[in-house]
Amino acid sequence: MGADHDALREQLGTVGAWTFAFDTMTIAQVRAAAVEIESLGYGALWVPEGSSSRDIFAHLSILLDATDRITVASGIANITARQPEVMAAGFRTLADAEPDRLVAGVGIGHEYSTQSRGIDWNRPLSRMRTYLDRMDAAAAVPAPTEPRRLLAALGDGMLRLSAARALGAHTYFVPVSHTARARAVLGPEPVLAVEQGVVLGGDRSRALRIAQEWADGYLDLPNYANNLRRLGFSDDDVAGGGSEGLIDATFAVGDVDVVAARVYEHLEAGADHVCIQIISDSDSDSDSGSDACMPQLRSLAAALVGASPPRVRPGA
């Protein structure tokens, strides 16, 4: 498995882009933005499958077709959206077409979206294990190239499952302290890809407001709030849109140097790849569609693209 882990690390690169913005854009705009993100030198492009997102396989296919070199990753394909046999077939089809540019990020989703599909939320870790069993059984016939898989993970149980049943973990809305813990739980070999929310700008009060408005919905979700509590944040910290201390820990708020410093902190703590998500002002018409992320990604590229990870990962 070591060679597979190293191949995935090389495939992802050190820094990528993670965005919801594509869900609000036309396909023509998506294709143009993907081409530019590739030209800026980002190693990977991550797109989600939220409750109002595009179908993840159609979306990944469009992005792979639009670009030539960049890795395209699902962050994440939701297991409640389709049967495991269908999930396996979708990823195997894309991996056959683009064996070195696809990363299959798979996740359990959230309680509200799970229940909205008529599925009980209980025992998510057990459900994920069973789902993976069925995915792998469906893929029993050898394919030319098996997709490289990561699992969305926050708690120790899902992190351990990520090490055992995938090439590593994809974490989201986490502070650097979680990255260090995740690396300790995973061990030195599995890949750790960390999403990092970014609010660029010199007006701190405005930036904090933007971050808190974004965080508010996530902190209503037990998996995120409980994960932060396990890391030492209090009930007051996770209330509403989060305390200033929590926001500073989970977002990079400030200028390009602040963002670059946070990326390096995650790398030093054990991340192999950091994918930055631009969080913009929902109250501003100029921050809609492609304008929600492209100007900031351009500004950050010079400082982030080509960042070098630590020579020895923690735990190695």
Side-chain angles (χ1 to χ4, degrees):
M1 291 289 285
D4 291 334
H5 293 98
D6 289 341
L8 178 54
R9 269 185 273 273
E10 182 176 356
Q11 179 182 348
L12 287 169
T14 307
V15 179
W18 200 113
T19 184
F20 269 110
F22 286 4
D23 285 335
T24 64
M25 296 159 60
T26 68
I27 294 301
Q29 289 172 326
V30 167
R31 292 175 67 89
V35 168
E36 182 172 2
I37 289 169
E38 179 177 67
S39 73
L40 290 170
Y42 289 97
L45 173 56
W46 296 75
V47 290
E49 187 173 44
S51 56
S52 59
S53 294
R54 291 186 170 94
D55 172 80
I56 194 65
F57 290 108
H59 202 171
L60 293 173
S61 181
I62 289 165
L63 296 173
L64 287 167
D65 180 68
T67 56
D68 297 317
R69 301 176 307 280
I70 196 169
T71 293
V72 175
S74 53
I76 47 71
N78 193 318
I79 71 168
T80 66
R82 57 191 60 82
Q83 293 295 316
E85 295 82 6
V86 178
M87 183 84 84
F91 277 127
R92 283 162 64 86
T93 300
L94 291 177
D96 193 9
E98 292 283 0
D100 297 318
R101 293 211 296 133
L102 173 73
V103 172
V106 179
I108 197 73
H110 302 300
E111 185 171 358
Y112 77 91
S113 59
T114 300
Q115 292 175 341
S116 72
R117 293 182 169 118
I119 301 170
D120 290 336
W121 173 252
N122 62 315
R123 303 179 66 194
L125 184 60
S126 176
R127 285 193 295 112
M128 175 60 89
R129 188 178 292 110
T130 299
Y131 192 96
L132 294 174
D133 288 343
R134 289 180 59 186
M135 274 189 73
D136 293 344
V141 178
T145 303
E146 290 295 334
R148 291 168 176 155
R149 185 166 71 197
L150 295 175
L151 300 186
L154 292 176
D156 290 0
M158 197 66 78
L159 286 165
R160 285 191 287 267
L161 189 65
S162 302
R165 301 296 302 276
L167 292 177
H170 174 42
T171 60
Y172 187 92
F173 189 28
V174 295
V176 173
S177 59
H178 183 272
T179 296
R181 180 176 181 84
R183 175 52 67 194
V185 173
L186 288 169
E189 194 171 48
V191 174
L192 178 56
V194 180
E195 177 272 346
Q196 175 62 63
V198 170
V199 185
L200 278 178
D203 185 338
R204 180 170 171 80
S205 61
R206 178 178 180 271
L208 287 172
R209 175 184 60 78
I210 292 169
Q212 287 174 322
E213 288 177 353
W214 184 95
D216 188 38
Y218 282 94
L219 292 173
D220 279 340
L221 301 174
N223 51 337
Y224 288 112
N226 290 336
N227 182 58
L228 292 165
R229 290 187 181 99
R230 288 193 296 267
L231 294 169
F233 292 96
S234 68
D235 288 342
D236 288 340
D237 285 322
V238 301
S243 67
E244 185 171 345
L246 183 144
I247 293 299
D248 279 331
T250 52
F251 289 84
V253 177
D255 60 15
V256 170
D257 289 341
V258 169
V259 177
R262 177 61 57 83
V263 168
Y264 277 99
E265 287 173 6
H266 279 296
L267 295 173
E268 292 287 346
D272 295 293
H273 173 82
V274 181
C275 38
I276 57 171
Q277 179 178 187
I278 303 299
I279 309 300
S280 58
D281 192 346
S282 60
D283 294 334
S284 173
D285 291 338
S286 65
D287 286 330
S288 61
S290 61
D291 288 338
C293 62
M294 291 312 305
Q296 295 92 328
L297 288 175
R298 294 180 199 118
S299 298
L300 289 167
L304 297 180
V305 171
S308 299
R311 293 183 180 178
V312 180
R313 292 188 305 280

